Amino acid sequence: MLELLLIIVALAGLVWVMRREAGALPALGVLAVLGLIGVVFGAVTVGILLWLGAAAVAACGLPTLRRRWLTPRLFAAFDKAAPKVSETERTALEAGSVAWDGELFSGRPQWQRLLDFRNAGLSEEERAFVDHQCSVAAGMCNAWEIARERADLPPELWEYLKREGFFGMIIPKRYGGLEFSAKAQSAVLQKLAVNETLMVTVGVPNSLGPGELLLKYGTEEQKNHYLPRLADGREIPCFGLTGPRAGSDATSLPDVGIVCRGQHNGQEILGLKLTFEKRWITLAPIATVVGLAFRMFDPDGLLGDTSDLGITCALIPRDTPGMDIGRRHHPIGSPFMNGPIRGKDVFIPLEWIIGGPDMAGQGWRMLVECLSVGRCITLPSGASGIGRYAVGWAGGFTRIRRQFNLPVADMEGVQEPLARIAAHAYIAQAAVMQTANTIDHGVKPAVPSAILKSQLTEFQRSMLADAMDVHGGRTVTLGPRNYLGIAYSANPVSITVEGANIMTRNLMIFGQGAIRCHPYVLDELAAKDDNDLAAFDKAIFGHAGMVFGNAARAFTQGLGIGKSRVPFDEVAAPYAQEVSRLASAFGLCADAAMASLGSGLKKREMLSARLGDVLSNLYLASMLIKQWHESESVEHEAALMHYSCRTLLYRAEQAFTELFDNLPNRALAMTLSAVALPLGRRWHKPQDRFTRDIARAISTDSALRHKLTADTWNTQEAGQRDNPLARYNALLADSERAEPLYRRIAKAYSQGELPAEALHPEQRVEAAWEAGLIEEDDAIFMRRFEREVLDMLSVDDFAFDAFATDKDRVVWHTT
């Protein structure tokens, strides 16, 4: 009995030490003391075994002992197995900073560190801009006119955007810009997402482009000249990075700049002769200044001994001789300005390099550092914004669209996609707001930018598809009345640009995070490169402690033992504890995958993607929990919080399951599954009761609907284009009065109290009034209500030859 008790106590003690990553000395103490007790009280065999265990811990865990025999062997093995990190990869890894993503990678997230990024909201100036200027800009848009009739924004809208400083949101006030916070930039783009072309046109100059590059790296002369002109729209910028053979692999760009002497403004100077071919460049057709990335060479040694100087960025005015610019591509579904740029032997001064000649060869670092912020803002904000509108449009339409004598919003088949739209919009709003808030606190979120870009644009794809489904024929028929179809067709643009989602998910999220966010891997690689045995010893055994700690935490918490303490209320706390549990499992599985596959993990993209999926869902859940913690909840929001968190945790466990099913080392896979999910999967798709509650709330005039559609263009002012969201909101405000009248009239018709030929709702209203079933004021109300409903259900039709660009080739079938 004593032997069994000693073994149980020893295991419990070791697990306790492991959970806290307390190190070798406490473990040594547990084994030694229990061994002594065993020997003294007659359990000699177990006591000796415990002492042997203590000796092994001492030999492997105490620095003075292990550095004599174990560390050198581990160092040699690590040197052979560690992946080779190229200079471009190293630059990307060193770009940006680590915050909450690092906490998740540690497997032991400290929630207070996330809460320390306090969200002060928007300033009064920023709030006024979102409320007024953004509403005015949105009110100048009609998707059909922009996409099919103009293939451009209206000229008065271009002028308004320039005059009000939309292109200078990131530019400091001393240069004439708005100097908005990242949260304000995101709020602006979310509101402008009512039209894809408008959002992209405003978003790109404030994201990856000359403005941001100048701010961070430009010379004072460059800043003083360009930034005021960019801020007020005198200059329209574009940035040429991608080309026919350089897309996702931007480092392979074949465009070159050769250092040479040439003529500029009548003088011979030292400069660059550029030859380049770019495409898919947003704003290129109308740009007045081009940011250009190219490979810089100095074959004649005019600048020094280095021939290949590397990727460099320069600013080139549109009218520079030899540059071919102005043609357009036709992006699917959205006519935002996008086109090719070409040049052959275009000579420019060295001073046109962003940051001057001293920044030659620093272009890749410049780009990846800018991307870490820009990718967190533009496309994720667009996705979140379209989610706000999708909630409003889909909820409104499904309430006024009646079939079988009831609103389709009350049909469970429709409620399911409505709840998905709401949850995806809710998660997206939290993710972009909280990540933008970390940027305002000085974080440059490299890995979260990849998570948000890929995950939220996929949410956008889902939300638009679900919204199209519930609208049915209303939005598959294009025309000025269709507020959704063009946005739906343009969605592949968001999926593809700024790092295609396939590449981002499979290569970037975990591939970059495994080194950049891991508490020890970067230190281990640095120690290897520096041949520093002491630094390697510290890093590798800290890493080992983390592995044991994550295994212990994942296993015990998976059994429901020792849940982490979290500073949240009764709604959010269980989900935060689950994020902590799965973070421990993620940390363990990440280390196991890296250890078992080594450098081969780079090629196992599907495994890397699944690990990235776990991280992505835990990150999104964390942002949602923080948003819940910081904001006042409204009626029905708890149901949406439960639905959203359960969806994310279900997706995280699904990714774990797929990882375990596909790890090549089957023994390792089964061991990891037993440790990470000892009782199997805990999370399933949300229950139907949440779905019904959410769908009802977003399809009625509820507080939750108002919260989810906040900061949208939801007003109808004189002189503005038709605003379907404002019209749906008005109808939903009246539907509480209309619904009992619908039921009364339908019951009367079914019982034969109204004429059988009264088939239209308008006819039944009149018949009910004439029969005295409803009062005159109710009849007046219903006439107006039904007119508005019918108008919102109607679609456009056109002349037979309206869509033919060549009228001479139209076949008139009936003549």
Side-chain angles (χ1 to χ4, degrees), residues 33-271:
V33 169
L34 291 175
L36 179 62
I37 292 173
V39 170
V40 170
F41 290 97
V44 178
T45 302
V46 171
I48 292 174
L49 289 174
L50 291 172
W51 276 350
L52 290 174
V57 169
C60 298
L62 298 179
T64 53
L65 295 178
R66 71 184 182 226
R67 288 177 184 171
R68 296 179 181 178
W69 71 280
L70 182 57
T71 303
R73 291 171 171 79
L74 292 177
F75 186 88
F78 184 83
D79 190 33
K80 293 179 180 178
K84 305 297 181 184
V85 181
S86 68
E87 284 303 313
T88 54
E89 288 177 312
R90 186 175 298 279
T91 299
L93 289 170
E94 292 173 353
S97 53
V98 177
W100 184 248
D101 44 335
E103 291 290 320
L104 292 174
F105 252 96
S106 75
R108 197 178 185 183
Q110 304 299 308
W111 287 93
Q112 189 57 48
R113 294 181 184 176
L114 180 61
L115 297 182
D116 286 343
F117 293 112
R118 302 191 182 279
N119 186 354
L122 305 185
S123 69
E124 291 184 10
E125 178 186 9
E126 293 169 340
R127 169 51 58 193
F129 190 91
V130 171
D131 290 343
H132 177 66
Q133 279 91 335
C134 291
S135 293
V136 172
M140 295 182 182
C141 289
N142 175 269
W144 174 261
E145 176 191 348
I146 290 170
R148 296 296 292 269
E149 296 176 356
R150 291 183 180 275
D152 194 1
L153 300 176
E156 61 272 18
L157 178 52
W158 274 108
E159 181 57 35
Y160 186 77
L161 295 175
K162 294 176 182 179
R163 184 172 70 248
E164 296 298 328
F166 279 85
F167 298 129
M169 288 193 291
I170 66 171
I171 295 175
K173 292 182 177 179
R174 67 180 181 274
Y175 296 112
L178 297 177
E179 199 171 343
F180 277 180
S181 65
K183 294 191 295 292
Q185 295 170 48
S186 177
V188 167
L189 296 178
Q190 289 185 67
K191 193 161 189 173
L192 300 186
V194 68
N195 183 268
E196 172 82 5
T197 300
L198 175 60
M199 191 282 293
V200 171
T201 299
V202 172
V204 169
N206 289 287
S207 179
L208 174 62
E212 189 171 5
L213 292 171
L214 283 170
L215 275 174
K216 294 182 178 180
Y217 309 106
T219 65
E220 285 305 310
E221 183 179 1
Q222 290 170 340
K223 292 178 183 178
N224 291 330
H225 175 75
Y226 277 113
L227 290 179
R229 299 169 67 85
L230 291 170
D232 62 19
R234 283 176 289 167
E235 300 277 9
I236 298 295
C238 71
F239 193 85
L241 177 59
T242 55
R245 288 186 168 85
S248 298
D249 183 11
T251 60
S252 66
L253 69 163
D255 312 290
V256 297
I258 306 298
V259 179
C260 62
R261 304 195 71 85
Q263 292 291 320
H264 181 71
N265 292 337
Q267 294 183 334
E268 184 180 280
I269 63 169
L270 193 61

Side-chain angles (χ1 to χ4, degrees), residues 326-345:
R327 294 183 65 82
R328 294 182 66 172
H329 298 311
H330 189 177
I332 184 171
S334 177
F336 64 88
M337 291 295 170
N338 186 277
I341 309 172
R342 302 178 181 88
K344 183 173 177 59
D345 296 336

